[in-house]
Amino acid sequence: MREVLEQDLQKILSDALKMLVTVEGMLPIAADVLLHQNVGRLTEIRSVDREVDALEAQIEAECLRVIALHQPVARDLRLVALVLKSLSDIERMGDYAVHVAADGAELAQAAPLKRYVNLGRMLERLQEMSLHLRAAIEERDVVKANEALHMDDEVDDLYEQTQRELVTYMLEDPRNISKSLTLMRVGRSLERIGDHMENVAERLHYWITGQRELQTRE
């Protein structure tokens, strides 16, 4: 019976990682639309998002089946709880990536307001953050989970810089307001992706150690 439980838990974890990898792959597509005006990829990212939604439903059903069949306890239960609670975070990450691509396609209809340097850096950091998050899950590594948390601090800083800069653009010329508001929305979407990754990283600590206290962040 234990062997069957182990197999079921490994499938749940593998499928959750597959879902995270799928969302991670949406970030460079969103970047291509936003930074390189490749609007043709908007359909592609929406298709991938539907795959993510299907994975969420599948994994949720797997988790509920394992709970009903095996009634896991201790670390096993923490794993199922980690996955169940993280599914909505990962799904929302995919939604926000689609929002970034959709706003990028809208912005591509006219000359850019500016070079999207900070937004490009945010996308790069989010991809790095996802890599650390996956490694933390695969290796049961609290250090890598904390590294992902620190990366979110940088994403937040870039978001604040972007918002301040865009406010300046709007004050200088009212004609910049529409584009600036769209870019603000893009920044907010990227910041929210980081927040959802942060949620997953924080839960990893409890799954791995059984302790709810997180390492102090500076």
Side-chain angles (χ1 to χ4, degrees):
M1 194 68 177
R2 177 67 198 178
E3 182 179 348
V4 175
L5 173 59
E6 289 283 359
Q7 291 174 353
D8 286 345
L9 291 173
Q10 185 56 49
K11 176 168 173 49
I12 286 172
L13 190 59
S14 296
D15 287 346
L17 282 166
K18 178 183 177 182
M19 184 177 173
L20 182 59
V21 168
T22 303
V23 171
E24 186 180 304
M26 296 171 74
L27 295 175
I29 301 175
D32 200 19
V33 178
L34 176 68
L35 303 178
H36 305 294
Q37 295 80 48
N38 194 346
V39 298
R41 303 198 74 183
L42 184 56
T43 301
E44 178 185 353
I45 198 171
R46 284 174 171 157
S47 175
V48 176
D49 190 48
R50 288 192 290 273
E51 294 177 21
V52 172
D53 292 343
L55 279 169
E56 180 188 22
Q58 171 197 321
I59 298 167
E60 181 178 14
E62 290 173 0
C63 289
L64 295 176
R65 184 184 66 81
V66 166
I67 291 172
L69 184 63
H70 299 290
Q71 297 180 347
V73 296
R75 187 171 182 176
D76 296 336
L77 181 59
R78 294 201 303 271
L79 170 57
V80 177
L82 164 73
V83 173
L84 269 176
K85 289 183 176 180
S86 298
L87 286 176
S88 60
D89 282 302
I90 300 173
E91 189 273 337
R92 288 300 292 155
M93 286 160 52
D95 288 346
Y96 281 117
V98 173
H99 295 336
V100 170
D103 284 333
E106 179 183 328
L107 289 164
Q109 303 307 310
L113 177 64
K114 60 185 291 297
R115 288 188 64 225
Y116 307 142
V117 176
N118 282 348
L119 295 176
R121 286 175 180 164
M122 289 176 74
L123 280 156
E124 290 173 1
R125 294 299 173 269
L126 289 171
Q127 291 179 63
E128 292 171 9
M129 193 174 172
S130 184
L131 288 172
H132 276 72
L133 197 56
R134 283 200 289 117
I137 296 170
E138 292 168 346
E139 301 167 20
R140 279 70 164 172
D141 191 329
V142 174
V143 173
K144 283 190 170 62
N146 283 329
E147 288 173 353
L149 289 172
H150 284 291
M151 287 180 183
D152 187 55
D153 292 338
E154 185 175 356
V155 171
D156 290 342
D157 289 343
L158 287 166
Y159 170 65
E160 294 297 333
Q161 291 174 28
T162 300
Q163 299 302 89
R164 289 194 298 269
E165 186 178 60
L166 290 170
V167 167
T168 301
Y169 273 96
M170 287 190 288
L171 292 174
E172 287 177 348
D173 189 341
R175 290 174 297 180
N176 293 330
I177 290 177
S178 180
K179 286 181 183 177
S180 294
L181 289 175
T182 302
L183 287 167
M184 283 183 168
R185 191 165 62 230
V186 170
R188 177 60 175 165
S189 293
L190 295 175
E191 190 264 345
R192 290 299 295 145
I193 291 173
D195 286 348
H196 285 294
M197 286 194 200
E198 180 182 31
N199 291 343
V200 178
E202 288 176 343
R203 292 189 196 104
L204 285 177
H205 187 278
Y206 178 56
W207 168 48
I208 296 167
T209 67
Q211 300 174 350
R212 295 189 180 276
E213 294 80 7
L214 281 168
Q215 176 178 314
T216 300
R217 297 168 66 189
E218 297 178 358

